[in-house]
């Protein structure tokens, strides 16, 4: 054995104990430093929550399904079918390019608004328990109010990223996003569906917050939204009954307060370790909607405090991962999209858990990926797929994927390489779009605009386009301009 081989062998032997003695926190931190760690975390969280939801829906709905149709698996089969559809949508969201996603954002949003109008028409929308919210296609029912959540997130992020600038006027930030959001909320209220209206309000507020709305105006809008929600909560009989039951839970324990009280009994019955999977007592017609709105109570009863802690831990990890992706993204569109989607999904989960444990009045918001609900499950999985797609566009992930470090999962799914975000490409696409709208021929880039070091000159030394003349912002960026003409896609500044 040569001297070099002996040193190499001794070095490897010395390195093994150091790696073996490394603390779990150090190993986890090293794993988080990998380029595709965010992508793998999002996929793992979506998988664990979906599998947990399928198991708990089967357990919570078996008694009610058997009593209604003679089969304990009818609701579970329906949930599993929508989970399969959601997996397909998750895969399609991974493969879609950001350029196509932004191009299709406004047409899909417009079609979603049209669907909200059509579902209110008798004979087209299906009415269940006094609410007209669904399109029925045989055994499958689709709720357009679930689709509008994702379309509002994507279109709103595209709109604000297109207009993002340091000195943008409030009108450019608020119009047409706020009027469109209020129109959507009005259509959902007419169904009626206060819970989805609250979710849409959270989406709109998150878009305005992360889009750079001034704090004072944001607080004014937030207070107005809370007041409007309070008025809506007291304007209908069943909603006012829920508010009365929340503030006076002992007034009608066998009536309007029965469901919330039974949920607390179910949670208390679980203790630390739970009664065991499938051993719930509340699902034997003691807790209404145990497989849907109050499935967290069944989790607490069967899996105990540890099961509830697992659900909370998964959503906490989702918050960390989503905000990590948003902070690492260099594309303003992805930052807005990921931060808004993370806020919406997390807030919906916290509201659901809050009214199950008695901290909030009952609103009917479902626990994402866990509660029974076909449209909600499929659409939420699609949103998770978009977030996972954004994770693959982190700068380190883009470099690793283009270097051939795809990993087994990406190679198995045959995912395309992510596109590299470039301000120069954004400026070129913006110039082509502006020329197409004005009917002029796009200008070729001036080779003299490059400095001797190969860097682009500062924004103030570059020639402005006619539409951007008069603005003083140098912070506005947009990844790609849509190829179709849009009245809201005006120039709001220059690329960095």
């Amino acid at each position: 054995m040569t001297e070099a081989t002996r040193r190499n062998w001794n070095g490897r032997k010395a390195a093994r104990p150091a790696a073996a003695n490394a603390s779990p926190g150090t190993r986890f931190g090293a794993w988080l430093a990998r380029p595709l760690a965010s992508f793998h975390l999002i996929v793992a969280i979506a998988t664990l929550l979906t599998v947990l939801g399928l198991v708990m829906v089967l357990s919570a709905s078996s008694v009610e399904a058997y009593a209604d149709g003679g089969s304990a698996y009818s609701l579970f089969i329906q949930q599993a079918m929508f989970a399969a559809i959601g997996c397909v949508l998750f895969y399609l969201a991974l493969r879609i390019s950001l350029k196509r996603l932004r191009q299709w954002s406004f047409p899909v949003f417009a079609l979603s608004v049209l669907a909200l109008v059509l579902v209110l028409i008798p004979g087209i929308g299906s009415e269940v328990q006094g609410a007209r919210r669904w399109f029925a296609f045989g055994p499958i029912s689709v709720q357009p109010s679930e689709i509008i959540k994702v379309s509002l997130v994507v279109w709103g992020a595209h709109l604000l990223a297109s207009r993002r600038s340091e000195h943008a006027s409030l009108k450019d930030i608020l119009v047409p996003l706020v009027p469109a959001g209020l129109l959507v909320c009005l259509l959902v209220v007419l169904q009626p569906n206060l819970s989805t209206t609250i979710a849409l309000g959270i989406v709109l507020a998150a878009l305005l917050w992360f889009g750079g709305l001034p704090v004072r105006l944001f607080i004014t809008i937030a207070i107005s939204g809370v007041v409007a929600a309070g008025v809506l909560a007291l304007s209908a009989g069943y909603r006012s009954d829920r508010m009365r039951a929340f503030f006076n839970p002992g007034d009608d324990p066998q009536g309007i307060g029965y469901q919330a009280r039974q949920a607390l009994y179910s949670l208390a019955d679980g203790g630390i370790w739970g009664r065991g999977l499938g051993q719930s007592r509340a699902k034997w017609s003691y807790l209404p909607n145990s497989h849907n709105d109050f499935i967290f109570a069944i989790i607490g009863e069967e899996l105990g405090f540890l099961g509830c802690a697992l659900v909370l831990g998964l959503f906490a990890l989702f918050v960390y991962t989503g905000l990590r992706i948003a902070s690492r993204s260099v594309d303003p569109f992805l930052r807005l999209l990921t931060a808004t989607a993370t806020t919406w999904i997390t807030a919906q989960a916290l509201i659901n858990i809050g009214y199950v444990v008695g901290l909030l009045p009952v609103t009917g918001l479902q626990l994402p990926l866990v509660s029974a609900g076909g449209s909600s499950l499929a659409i939420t999985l699609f949103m998770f797929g978009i977030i996972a797609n954004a994770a693959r566009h982190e700068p380190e992930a883009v470099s690793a994927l283009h270097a051939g470090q795809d990993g087994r999962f990406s190679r198995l799914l045959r995912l395309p390489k992510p596109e590299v975000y470039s301000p120069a490409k954004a400026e070129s696409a913006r110039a082509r779009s502006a020329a197409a709208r004005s009917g002029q021929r796009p200008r070729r880039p001036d080779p003299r605009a490059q400095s001797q070091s190969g860097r682009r000159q500062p924004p103030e030394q570059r020639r402005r386009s006619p539409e951007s003349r008069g603005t003083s912002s140098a912070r506005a960026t947009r990844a790609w301009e849509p190829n179709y003409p849009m009245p809201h896609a005006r120039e709001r500044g220059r690329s960095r």
Side-chain angles (χ1 to χ4, degrees), residues 77-370:
I77 292 175
Q78 183 179 4
Q79 185 77 355
M81 179 179 61
F82 275 100
I85 296 174
C87 290
V88 175
L89 293 177
F90 186 94
Y91 178 68
L92 293 178
L94 282 176
R95 294 192 61 88
I96 189 172
S97 65
L98 298 184
K99 180 179 180 180
R100 293 289 179 262
L101 188 64
R102 298 188 70 169
Q103 286 178 346
W104 295 344
S105 61
F106 182 72
V108 172
F109 176 77
L111 291 176
S112 303
V113 175
L114 179 61
L116 288 179
V117 175
L118 293 177
V119 79
L120 297 174
I121 301 176
I124 299 179
S126 300
E127 184 175 354
V128 179
Q129 297 180 353
R132 196 177 297 275
R133 306 174 186 175
W134 297 271
F135 291 120
F137 303 99
I140 300 177
S141 60
V142 179
Q143 196 169 354
S145 57
E146 295 292 338
I147 302 176
I148 199 67
K149 296 178 187 177
V150 177
S151 61
L152 180 61
V153 170
V154 178
W155 176 66
H158 161 70
L159 181 65
L160 293 180
S162 300
R163 296 184 171 187
R164 192 172 185 176
S165 61
E166 187 174 0
H167 301 289
S169 65
L170 293 178
K171 180 180 178 181
D172 296 321
I173 296 177
L174 300 179
V175 179
L177 179 61
V178 172
L182 294 179
L183 173 62
V184 167
C185 291
L186 176 62
L187 293 174
V188 175
V189 167
L190 294 177
Q191 294 181 358
N193 191 350
L194 179 61
S195 59
T196 303
T197 306
I198 294 175
L200 290 171
I202 293 172
V203 170
L204 185 60
L207 283 171
L208 295 176
W209 175 259
F210 293 110
L213 190 69
V215 177
R216 292 182 179 178
L217 185 58
F218 180 83
I219 294 176
T220 303
I221 294 178
I223 294 176
S224 302
V226 171
V227 172
V231 172
L232 290 174
L234 300 175
S235 60
Y238 75 97
R239 293 197 289 258
S240 61
D241 290 341
R242 288 178 176 178
M243 296 297 295
R244 187 174 67 253
F246 173 71
F247 289 107
N248 301 289
D251 288 353
D252 191 8
Q254 296 299 320
I256 191 63
Y258 175 79
Q259 192 176 24
R261 181 179 291 267
Q262 289 297 322
L264 293 178
Y265 289 158
S266 180
L267 285 170
D269 196 23
I272 299 295
W273 307 101
R275 297 182 54 85
L277 188 62
Q279 303 301 316
S280 170
R281 297 175 179 176
K283 68 182 180 182
W284 291 84
S285 301
Y286 290 104
L287 178 60
N289 290 328
S290 60
H291 61 287
N292 194 349
D293 298 343
F294 285 83
I295 197 170
F296 187 76
I298 304 299
I299 294 175
E301 184 180 6
E302 295 188 352
L303 304 181
F305 174 79
L306 297 181
C308 295
L310 173 63
V311 175
L312 291 174
L314 287 175
F315 279 106
L317 184 60
F318 170 68
V319 172
Y320 166 77
T321 308
L323 296 182
R324 166 190 164 109
I325 296 171
S327 62
R328 290 189 171 198
S329 299
V330 295
D331 187 349
F333 167 69
L334 288 181
R335 289 201 297 267
L336 280 169
L337 174 66
T338 309
T340 302
T342 303
T343 303
W344 154 46
I345 295 174
T346 306
Q348 183 169 325
L350 292 179
I351 291 175
N352 176 274
I353 296 173
Y355 70 69
V356 170
V357 301
L359 296 177
L360 296 173
V362 178
T363 58
L365 276 175
Q366 298 174 331
L367 189 60
L369 298 183
V370 181

